[in-house]
Coordinates of all heavy atoms in Angstrom, one line a residue:
M23 N -4.1 -13.2 -59.3 CA -3.5 -14.6 -59.4 C -2.2 -14.4 -60.1 O -2.1 -13.7 -61.1 CB -4.5 -15.4 -60.2 CG -3.9 -16.8 -60.5 SD -5.1 -18.1 -60.3 CE -4.2 -19.5 -60.9
S24 N -1.2 -15.1 -59.6 CA 0.2 -15.0 -60.2 C 0.1 -15.9 -61.5 O -0.8 -16.7 -61.7 CB 1.2 -15.5 -59.2 OG 0.9 -16.8 -58.8
E25 N 1.2 -15.7 -62.3 CA 1.3 -16.4 -63.6 C 2.2 -17.7 -63.3 O 3.1 -17.6 -62.5 CB 1.9 -15.5 -64.6 CG 1.0 -14.4 -65.1 CD 1.4 -13.7 -66.3 OE1 2.3 -14.2 -67.0 OE2 0.9 -12.6 -66.5
A26 N 1.9 -18.6 -64.1 CA 2.7 -19.8 -64.1 C 4.1 -19.6 -64.6 O 4.3 -18.7 -65.5 CB 2.0 -21.0 -64.9
K27 N 5.1 -20.3 -64.1 CA 6.4 -20.1 -64.6 C 6.6 -21.1 -65.8 O 6.0 -22.2 -65.8 CB 7.4 -20.6 -63.5 CG 8.8 -20.7 -63.8 CD 9.6 -21.2 -62.7 CE 11.0 -21.7 -63.2 NZ 11.7 -22.3 -62.1
I28 N 7.2 -20.6 -66.8 CA 7.5 -21.5 -67.9 C 8.6 -22.4 -67.6 O 9.8 -22.0 -67.5 CB 7.9 -20.6 -69.2 CG1 6.7 -19.8 -69.5 CG2 8.3 -21.6 -70.4 CD1 7.0 -18.7 -70.6
A29 N 8.3 -23.7 -67.3 CA 9.4 -24.6 -66.9 C 10.3 -25.0 -68.1 O 11.5 -25.2 -68.0 CB 8.7 -25.9 -66.4
A30 N 9.7 -25.1 -69.3 CA 10.4 -25.3 -70.6 C 9.5 -25.0 -71.7 O 8.3 -25.1 -71.6 CB 10.8 -26.8 -70.6
K31 N 10.1 -24.6 -72.8 CA 9.3 -24.2 -74.0 C 9.2 -25.4 -75.0 O 9.3 -25.2 -76.2 CB 10.0 -23.0 -74.7 CG 9.8 -21.7 -73.9 CD 10.3 -20.5 -74.7 CE 10.2 -19.2 -73.9 NZ 10.7 -18.0 -74.5
A32 N 9.0 -26.5 -74.4 CA 8.8 -27.8 -75.2 C 8.1 -28.8 -74.3 O 8.3 -28.8 -73.1 CB 10.2 -28.3 -75.7
P33 N 7.3 -29.6 -74.9 CA 6.7 -30.7 -74.1 C 7.6 -31.8 -73.8 O 8.8 -31.8 -74.3 CB 5.5 -31.2 -75.0 CG 6.1 -30.9 -76.4 CD 6.9 -29.7 -76.3
V34 N 7.3 -32.7 -72.9 CA 8.1 -33.8 -72.5 C 7.4 -35.1 -72.8 O 6.2 -35.2 -72.4 CB 8.7 -33.7 -71.1 CG1 7.6 -33.7 -70.1 CG2 9.7 -34.8 -70.8
K35 N 8.0 -36.1 -73.3 CA 7.4 -37.4 -73.6 C 7.4 -38.2 -72.3 O 8.4 -38.4 -71.7 CB 8.0 -38.1 -74.7 CG 7.3 -39.4 -75.1 CD 7.6 -39.9 -76.4 CE 8.9 -40.7 -76.4 NZ 9.1 -41.4 -77.7
V36 N 6.2 -38.7 -71.9 CA 6.1 -39.5 -70.6 C 5.3 -40.7 -70.9 O 4.4 -40.7 -71.7 CB 5.4 -38.6 -69.6 CG1 5.1 -39.5 -68.3 CG2 6.1 -37.4 -69.2
T37 N 5.8 -41.8 -70.3 CA 5.0 -43.1 -70.5 C 4.0 -43.2 -69.3 O 4.5 -43.3 -68.2 CB 6.0 -44.3 -70.5 OG1 6.9 -44.1 -71.6 CG2 5.2 -45.6 -70.8
L38 N 2.8 -43.3 -69.6 CA 1.8 -43.4 -68.5 C 1.3 -44.8 -68.5 O 1.3 -45.6 -69.4 CB 0.6 -42.5 -68.9 CG 0.9 -41.0 -69.0 CD1 -0.5 -40.2 -69.2 CD2 1.5 -40.4 -67.8
E39 N 0.8 -45.2 -67.3 CA 0.2 -46.5 -67.0 C -1.3 -46.4 -66.8 O -1.7 -45.6 -66.0 CB 0.8 -47.1 -65.8 CG 2.3 -47.5 -65.9 CD 2.8 -47.9 -64.6 OE1 2.2 -48.7 -63.9 OE2 4.0 -47.5 -64.2
E40 N -2.0 -47.2 -67.6 CA -3.5 -47.2 -67.5 C -3.9 -47.3 -66.0 O -3.5 -48.2 -65.3 CB -4.1 -48.3 -68.3 CG -5.6 -48.3 -68.2 CD -6.2 -49.5 -69.1 OE1 -5.4 -50.0 -70.0 OE2 -7.4 -49.7 -69.0
G41 N -4.8 -46.5 -65.6 CA -5.4 -46.5 -64.3 C -4.6 -45.9 -63.2 O -5.1 -45.7 -62.1
K42 N -3.4 -45.5 -63.5 CA -2.5 -44.8 -62.5 C -2.9 -43.4 -62.4 O -3.2 -42.7 -63.4 CB -1.1 -45.0 -62.9 CG -0.1 -44.6 -61.8 CD 1.4 -44.9 -62.1 CE 2.3 -44.4 -61.1 NZ 3.7 -44.7 -61.4
K43 N -2.8 -42.9 -61.2 CA -3.1 -41.5 -61.0 C -1.9 -40.6 -60.9 O -0.9 -41.0 -60.4 CB -3.9 -41.3 -59.7 CG -5.3 -41.9 -59.7 CD -6.1 -41.7 -58.4 CE -7.5 -42.2 -58.6 NZ -7.7 -43.5 -58.1
Y44 N -1.9 -39.4 -61.5 CA -0.8 -38.5 -61.7 C -1.2 -37.2 -61.2 O -2.4 -36.8 -61.3 CB -0.3 -38.5 -63.1 CG 0.2 -39.8 -63.6 CD1 -0.7 -40.6 -64.2 CD2 1.5 -40.2 -63.5 CE1 -0.3 -41.9 -64.8 CE2 2.0 -41.4 -64.0 CZ 1.1 -42.2 -64.6 OH 1.5 -43.4 -65.1
A45 N -0.2 -36.4 -60.7 CA -0.5 -35.0 -60.3 C 0.4 -34.1 -61.2 O 1.6 -34.0 -61.0 CB -0.1 -34.8 -58.9
F46 N -0.2 -33.5 -62.2 CA 0.5 -32.6 -63.2 C 0.8 -31.3 -62.5 O -0.2 -30.6 -61.9 CB -0.4 -32.5 -64.4 CG 0.1 -31.5 -65.4 CD1 1.2 -31.7 -66.2 CD2 -0.5 -30.3 -65.6 CE1 1.6 -30.8 -67.2 CE2 -0.1 -29.4 -66.5 CZ 1.0 -29.7 -67.3
C47 N 2.0 -30.7 -62.7 CA 2.3 -29.4 -62.2 C 1.7 -28.4 -63.1 O 2.0 -28.3 -64.3 CB 3.8 -29.3 -62.1 SG 4.4 -27.6 -61.7
T48 N 0.9 -27.4 -62.5 CA 0.4 -26.3 -63.3 C 1.1 -25.0 -63.0 O 0.9 -24.1 -63.8 CB -1.1 -26.1 -62.9 OG1 -1.2 -25.7 -61.5 CG2 -2.0 -27.4 -63.2
C49 N 1.9 -25.0 -62.0 CA 2.6 -23.7 -61.6 C 3.9 -23.5 -62.3 O 4.4 -22.4 -62.5 CB 2.8 -23.6 -60.1 SG 4.1 -24.6 -59.4
G50 N 4.6 -24.6 -62.7 CA 5.9 -24.5 -63.3 C 7.1 -24.5 -62.4 O 8.2 -24.6 -62.9
Y51 N 6.9 -24.6 -61.1 CA 8.0 -24.5 -60.2 C 8.5 -25.8 -59.7 O 9.6 -25.9 -59.1 CB 7.6 -23.7 -59.0 CG 7.5 -22.2 -59.2 CD1 6.4 -21.6 -59.7 CD2 8.7 -21.4 -59.0 CE1 6.3 -20.2 -59.9 CE2 8.6 -20.0 -59.3 CZ 7.4 -19.5 -59.7 OH 7.4 -18.1 -60.0
S52 N 7.8 -26.9 -60.1 CA 8.3 -28.2 -59.7 C 9.6 -28.6 -60.3 O 9.9 -28.3 -61.4 CB 7.2 -29.3 -60.1 OG 7.7 -30.6 -59.8
D53 N 10.5 -29.3 -59.5 CA 11.7 -29.8 -60.0 C 11.6 -31.2 -60.6 O 12.5 -31.8 -61.0 CB 12.8 -29.9 -58.8 CG 13.3 -28.5 -58.4 OD1 13.3 -27.6 -59.3 OD2 13.6 -28.3 -57.3
K54 N 10.3 -31.7 -60.6 CA 10.0 -33.0 -61.1 C 9.1 -32.9 -62.3 O 8.2 -33.6 -62.5 CB 9.4 -33.9 -60.0 CG 10.4 -34.2 -58.9 CD 9.7 -35.2 -58.0 CE 10.6 -35.6 -56.9 NZ 9.9 -36.5 -55.9
Q55 N 9.3 -31.9 -63.2 CA 8.5 -31.7 -64.3 C 8.3 -33.0 -65.1 O 9.3 -33.7 -65.3 CB 9.1 -30.6 -65.2 CG 9.0 -29.2 -64.6 CD 7.6 -28.7 -64.3 OE1 6.7 -29.0 -65.1 NE2 7.4 -28.0 -63.3
P56 N 7.1 -33.2 -65.7 CA 6.0 -32.3 -65.7 C 5.0 -32.5 -64.5 O 4.0 -31.9 -64.4 CB 5.2 -32.7 -66.9 CG 5.5 -34.2 -67.0 CD 6.9 -34.4 -66.5
F57 N 5.5 -33.2 -63.5 CA 4.7 -33.6 -62.3 C 4.9 -32.6 -61.1 O 6.0 -32.1 -61.0 CB 4.8 -35.0 -61.9 CG 4.5 -35.9 -63.1 CD1 5.5 -36.7 -63.7 CD2 3.2 -36.0 -63.5 CE1 5.2 -37.5 -64.8 CE2 2.9 -36.8 -64.6 CZ 3.9 -37.6 -65.2
C58 N 3.9 -32.5 -60.3 CA 4.0 -31.7 -59.0 C 4.9 -32.3 -58.0 O 4.9 -33.5 -57.8 CB 2.5 -31.6 -58.5 SG 2.4 -30.7 -56.9
D59 N 5.7 -31.5 -57.4 CA 6.5 -31.9 -56.3 C 6.2 -31.1 -55.0 O 6.9 -31.2 -54.0 CB 8.0 -31.8 -56.6 CG 8.5 -30.3 -56.6 OD1 7.6 -29.5 -56.5 OD2 9.7 -30.1 -56.8
G60 N 5.1 -30.5 -55.0 CA 4.7 -29.7 -53.8 C 5.2 -28.3 -53.8 O 4.8 -27.5 -52.9
S61 N 6.1 -27.9 -54.7 CA 6.7 -26.6 -54.7 C 5.6 -25.4 -54.7 O 5.9 -24.3 -54.2 CB 7.6 -26.4 -55.8 OG 8.7 -27.3 -55.7
H62 N 4.5 -25.7 -55.3 CA 3.5 -24.6 -55.4 C 3.0 -24.0 -54.1 O 2.6 -22.9 -54.0 CB 2.2 -25.1 -56.2 CG 1.5 -26.3 -55.5 ND1 1.8 -27.6 -55.7 CD2 0.5 -26.2 -54.6 CE1 1.0 -28.3 -54.9 NE2 0.2 -27.4 -54.3
R63 N 3.1 -24.9 -53.1 CA 2.7 -24.4 -51.7 C 3.5 -23.2 -51.3 O 3.0 -22.3 -50.6 CB 2.8 -25.5 -50.7 CG 1.8 -26.6 -51.0 CD 1.8 -27.7 -49.8 NE 1.2 -28.9 -50.4 CZ 2.0 -30.0 -50.6 NH1 3.2 -30.0 -50.3 NH2 1.4 -31.1 -51.1
E64 N 4.8 -23.2 -51.6 CA 5.7 -22.1 -51.2 C 5.9 -21.1 -52.4 O 5.8 -19.9 -52.1 CB 7.0 -22.6 -50.8 CG 7.9 -21.6 -50.1 CD 9.0 -22.2 -49.3 OE1 8.8 -23.2 -48.6 OE2 10.1 -21.7 -49.5
D65 N 6.1 -21.6 -53.6 CA 6.5 -20.7 -54.6 C 5.3 -20.1 -55.4 O 5.5 -19.1 -56.1 CB 7.3 -21.5 -55.7 CG 8.7 -21.9 -55.0 OD1 9.2 -21.2 -54.2 OD2 9.1 -23.0 -55.4
A66 N 4.1 -20.7 -55.4 CA 3.0 -20.3 -56.2 C 1.7 -20.7 -55.6 O 1.0 -21.6 -56.1 CB 3.1 -20.8 -57.6
P67 N 1.4 -20.2 -54.4 CA 0.2 -20.7 -53.6 C -1.1 -20.5 -54.3 O -2.1 -21.1 -53.9 CB 0.3 -19.8 -52.3 CG 1.3 -18.8 -52.5 CD 2.2 -19.2 -53.7
D68 N -1.2 -19.7 -55.4 CA -2.4 -19.6 -56.1 C -2.7 -20.8 -57.0 O -3.8 -21.0 -57.5 CB -2.4 -18.4 -57.1 CG -2.4 -17.0 -56.4 OD1 -2.8 -17.1 -55.2 OD2 -2.1 -16.0 -57.0
F69 N -1.7 -21.7 -57.1 CA -1.8 -22.9 -58.0 C -2.0 -24.2 -57.1 O -1.6 -24.2 -56.0 CB -0.6 -23.0 -58.9 CG -0.5 -22.0 -60.0 CD1 0.0 -20.7 -59.7 CD2 -0.9 -22.2 -61.2 CE1 0.1 -19.7 -60.6 CE2 -0.8 -21.3 -62.3 CZ -0.3 -20.0 -62.0
K70 N -2.5 -25.1 -57.8 CA -2.5 -26.5 -57.2 C -2.3 -27.5 -58.4 O -2.6 -27.1 -59.5 CB -3.7 -26.8 -56.4 CG -5.0 -26.7 -57.2 CD -6.2 -26.9 -56.3 CE -7.5 -26.8 -57.0 NZ -8.7 -27.0 -56.2
S71 N -1.9 -28.7 -58.1 CA -1.7 -29.6 -59.1 C -3.0 -30.0 -59.8 O -4.1 -29.9 -59.2 CB -1.0 -30.9 -58.5 OG -1.9 -31.5 -57.6
Y72 N -2.9 -30.5 -61.0 CA -4.0 -31.0 -61.7 C -3.9 -32.6 -61.7 O -3.0 -33.1 -62.3 CB -4.0 -30.5 -63.2 CG -5.1 -31.1 -64.0 CD1 -6.4 -30.7 -63.9 CD2 -4.8 -32.1 -65.0 CE1 -7.4 -31.3 -64.7 CE2 -5.8 -32.7 -65.7 CZ -7.1 -32.2 -65.6 OH -8.1 -32.8 -66.4
K73 N -4.8 -33.2 -61.0 CA -4.8 -34.6 -60.9 C -5.6 -35.4 -62.0 O -6.7 -34.9 -62.3 CB -5.3 -35.1 -59.5 CG -4.4 -34.5 -58.4 CD -4.9 -34.9 -57.0 CE -4.0 -34.4 -55.9 NZ -3.9 -32.9 -55.9
F74 N -5.0 -36.4 -62.5 CA -5.6 -37.1 -63.6 C -5.3 -38.5 -63.5 O -4.3 -38.9 -63.0 CB -5.4 -36.5 -65.0 CG -3.9 -36.7 -65.4 CD1 -3.6 -37.7 -66.3 CD2 -2.9 -35.9 -65.0 CE1 -2.3 -38.0 -66.8 CE2 -1.6 -36.1 -65.4 CZ -1.3 -37.1 -66.3
E75 N -6.1 -39.4 -64.1 CA -5.9 -40.8 -64.2 C -5.7 -41.2 -65.6 O -6.4 -40.8 -66.5 CB -7.1 -41.6 -63.7 CG -6.9 -43.1 -63.6 CD -8.1 -43.7 -62.9 OE1 -8.7 -43.1 -61.9 OE2 -8.4 -44.9 -63.3
A76 N -4.6 -41.9 -65.9 CA -4.3 -42.3 -67.3 C -5.4 -43.3 -67.8 O -5.7 -44.3 -67.1 CB -3.0 -43.0 -67.4
E77 N -5.9 -43.1 -69.0 CA -6.9 -43.8 -69.6 C -6.4 -45.1 -70.3 O -7.1 -46.1 -70.5 CB -7.7 -43.0 -70.6 CG -8.5 -41.9 -69.9 CD -9.3 -41.1 -70.9 OE1 -9.2 -41.3 -72.1 OE2 -9.9 -40.1 -70.4
K78 N -5.1 -45.1 -70.6 CA -4.5 -46.2 -71.3 C -2.9 -46.1 -71.1 O -2.4 -45.1 -70.8 CB -4.8 -46.3 -72.8 CG -4.4 -45.1 -73.5 CD -4.9 -45.2 -74.9 CE -4.4 -43.9 -75.7 NZ -4.9 -44.0 -77.1
D79 N -2.3 -47.3 -71.3 CA -0.8 -47.4 -71.3 C -0.3 -46.6 -72.5 O -0.9 -46.7 -73.6 CB -0.3 -48.8 -71.4 CG -0.6 -49.6 -70.1 OD1 -0.7 -48.9 -69.0 OD2 -0.7 -50.8 -70.2
G80 N 0.8 -46.0 -72.4 CA 1.4 -45.4 -73.6 C 2.1 -44.1 -73.4 O 2.1 -43.5 -72.3
D81 N 2.8 -43.6 -74.4 CA 3.5 -42.4 -74.4 C 2.6 -41.2 -74.8 O 1.8 -41.3 -75.7 CB 4.7 -42.4 -75.4 CG 5.7 -43.5 -75.0 OD1 5.8 -43.9 -73.9 OD2 6.5 -43.9 -75.9
V82 N 2.8 -40.1 -74.0 CA 2.0 -38.9 -74.3 C 3.0 -37.7 -74.1 O 4.1 -37.9 -73.5 CB 0.9 -38.7 -73.3 CG1 -0.2 -39.8 -73.5 CG2 1.4 -38.7 -71.9
W83 N 2.7 -36.6 -74.7 CA 3.5 -35.4 -74.6 C 2.8 -34.5 -73.6 O 1.7 -34.0 -73.9 CB 3.6 -34.7 -75.9 CG 4.5 -35.5 -76.9 CD1 4.1 -36.5 -77.8 CD2 6.0 -35.5 -77.0 NE1 5.2 -37.0 -78.4 CE2 6.4 -36.4 -77.9 CE3 6.9 -34.7 -76.3 CZ2 7.7 -36.6 -78.3 CZ3 8.3 -34.9 -76.7 CH2 8.6 -35.8 -77.6
L84 N 3.5 -34.2 -72.5 CA 2.9 -33.4 -71.5 C 3.5 -32.0 -71.5 O 4.7 -31.8 -71.8 CB 3.0 -34.0 -70.1 CG 2.4 -35.4 -69.9 CD1 2.4 -35.8 -68.4 CD2 0.9 -35.4 -70.3
C85 N 2.7 -31.0 -71.2 CA 3.0 -29.6 -71.2 C 4.0 -29.2 -70.2 O 3.9 -29.6 -69.0 CB 1.8 -28.7 -71.1 SG 2.1 -27.0 -70.9
Q86 N 5.0 -28.4 -70.5 CA 6.0 -27.9 -69.6 C 6.0 -26.4 -69.6 O 6.5 -25.7 -68.7 CB 7.4 -28.4 -69.9 CG 7.6 -29.9 -69.7 CD 9.0 -30.3 -69.6 OE1 9.5 -30.5 -68.5 NE2 9.7 -30.3 -70.8
C87 N 5.4 -25.7 -70.6 CA 5.3 -24.3 -70.6 C 4.2 -23.7 -69.7 O 4.1 -22.6 -69.4 CB 5.2 -23.7 -72.1 SG 3.5 -23.9 -72.8
K88 N 3.2 -24.7 -69.4 CA 2.1 -24.3 -68.5 C 1.1 -23.4 -69.1 O 0.4 -22.7 -68.4 CB 2.6 -23.9 -67.1 CG 3.7 -24.8 -66.5 CD 3.2 -26.2 -66.4 CE 4.4 -27.1 -65.9 NZ 4.0 -28.5 -65.9
Q89 N 1.1 -23.2 -70.4 CA 0.2 -22.3 -71.1 C -0.9 -23.1 -71.9 O -1.8 -22.5 -72.5 CB 0.9 -21.4 -72.0 CG 2.1 -20.6 -71.5 CD 1.7 -19.8 -70.3 OE1 0.8 -19.0 -70.4 NE2 2.4 -19.9 -69.2
T90 N -0.8 -24.4 -71.8 CA -1.8 -25.3 -72.6 C -3.2 -25.1 -72.1 O -3.5 -24.9 -70.9 CB -1.4 -26.8 -72.5 OG1 -2.3 -27.5 -73.3 CG2 -1.4 -27.3 -71.0
D91 N -4.2 -25.2 -73.0 CA -5.5 -25.2 -72.6 C -6.1 -26.6 -72.6 O -7.3 -26.8 -72.4 CB -6.4 -24.4 -73.7 CG -6.2 -22.9 -73.6 OD1 -5.9 -22.4 -72.4 OD2 -6.2 -22.2 -74.6
S92 N -5.2 -27.6 -72.7 CA -5.6 -29.0 -72.7 C -4.8 -29.8 -71.7 O -4.3 -30.9 -71.9 CB -5.3 -29.6 -74.1 OG -5.9 -29.0 -75.1
A93 N -4.6 -29.2 -70.5 CA -3.8 -29.8 -69.5 C -4.3 -31.3 -69.2 O -5.5 -31.5 -69.2 CB -3.9 -29.0 -68.2
P94 N -3.4 -32.2 -69.0 CA -1.9 -32.0 -68.9 C -1.2 -32.1 -70.2 O 0.0 -32.0 -70.2 CB -1.5 -33.2 -68.0 CG -2.4 -34.3 -68.5 CD -3.8 -33.6 -68.8
F95 N -1.9 -32.2 -71.3 CA -1.3 -32.4 -72.6 C -0.8 -31.1 -73.3 O -1.4 -30.1 -73.2 CB -2.2 -33.2 -73.5 CG -2.7 -34.5 -72.9 CD1 -4.0 -34.5 -72.4 CD2 -1.9 -35.6 -72.7 CE1 -4.5 -35.7 -71.7 CE2 -2.3 -36.7 -72.1 CZ -3.6 -36.8 -71.6
C96 N 0.2 -31.3 -74.1 CA 0.7 -30.1 -74.9 C -0.3 -29.8 -76.0 O -0.9 -30.7 -76.6 CB 2.0 -30.6 -75.6 SG 2.7 -29.4 -76.8
D97 N -0.6 -28.6 -76.2 CA -1.5 -28.2 -77.3 C -0.8 -27.2 -78.3 O -1.4 -26.6 -79.1 CB -2.8 -27.5 -76.8 CG -2.6 -26.1 -76.2 OD1 -1.4 -25.7 -76.0 OD2 -3.5 -25.5 -75.8
G98 N 0.5 -27.1 -78.1 CA 1.3 -26.3 -79.0 C 1.4 -24.9 -78.6 O 2.1 -24.1 -79.3
A99 N 0.9 -24.5 -77.4 CA 1.0 -23.2 -76.9 C 2.4 -22.6 -76.8 O 2.7 -21.4 -77.0 CB 0.2 -23.0 -75.6
H100 N 3.4 -23.5 -76.6 CA 4.8 -23.1 -76.4 C 5.3 -22.4 -77.6 O 6.3 -21.7 -77.6 CB 5.7 -24.3 -76.0 CG 5.7 -25.4 -77.0 ND1 4.7 -26.4 -77.1 CD2 6.6 -25.7 -78.0 CE1 5.0 -27.2 -78.1 NE2 6.1 -26.8 -78.6
K101 N 4.7 -22.7 -78.8 CA 5.2 -22.2 -80.1 C 5.0 -20.7 -80.1 O 5.6 -20.0 -81.0 CB 4.6 -22.9 -81.2 CG 5.0 -24.3 -81.3 CD 4.1 -25.0 -82.4 CE 4.4 -26.5 -82.5 NZ 3.3 -27.2 -83.1
D102 N 4.1 -20.1 -79.3 CA 3.8 -18.7 -79.3 C 4.6 -17.9 -78.3 O 4.4 -16.7 -78.1 CB 2.3 -18.4 -79.2 CG 1.5 -19.0 -80.3 OD1 2.1 -19.0 -81.5 OD2 0.4 -19.4 -80.1
L103 N 5.4 -18.6 -77.5 CA 6.1 -18.0 -76.4 C 7.4 -17.4 -76.9 O 8.0 -17.8 -77.8 CB 6.4 -19.0 -75.3 CG 5.2 -19.6 -74.6 CD1 5.5 -20.6 -73.6 CD2 4.3 -18.5 -73.9
Ligands
FES291 S1 4.7 -27.8 -57.9 FE1 3.6 -26.9 -59.6 S2 1.5 -27.5 -59.2 FE2 2.6 -28.4 -57.5

């Protein structure tokens, strides 16, 4: 399995809407970070997006280094890169 690309060594703040479904990029190749734009199909076929539904309205910090163990959320893993 190939490794994820580090899209950025910092999380990004995103405003989520309760009940809305999102596709988080796990491969790091998307140009629409932190969300999937379908690039994984060509650039990282071992990966697929991580789909999730927002549990509430509000701001969250989503991972862009793609090393988090709490996808889609930042767990601080970027600090060790
Ligand atoms: S573009 Fe990265 S998972 Fe789809």
Side-chain angles (χ1 to χ4, degrees):
M23 176 140 174
S24 57
E25 291 189 18
K27 176 183 165 189
I28 297 170
K31 290 184 180 178
V34 61
K35 186 161 83 171
V36 175
T37 304
L38 301 181
E39 293 175 41
E40 181 179 346
K42 188 172 176 180
K43 295 184 171 93
Y44 298 89
F46 173 74
C47 170
T48 62
C49 75
Y51 286 89
S52 173
D53 288 331
K54 293 184 176 176
Q55 292 297 327
F57 301 112
C58 173
D59 70 355
S61 293
H62 64 270
R63 291 188 202 107
E64 190 164 316
D65 296 327
D68 291 341
F69 290 82
K70 59 183 179 181
S71 64
Y72 174 74
K73 296 181 179 63
F74 69 99
E75 185 174 325
E77 294 178 3
K78 58 183 180 179
D79 290 333
D81 295 341
V82 293
W83 289 92
L84 299 188
C85 172
Q86 295 195 103
C87 76
K88 310 305 175 184
Q89 309 300 308
T90 183
D91 287 328
S92 305
F95 305 105
C96 172
D97 71 354
H100 61 275
K101 294 175 188 159
D102 296 328
L103 297 175

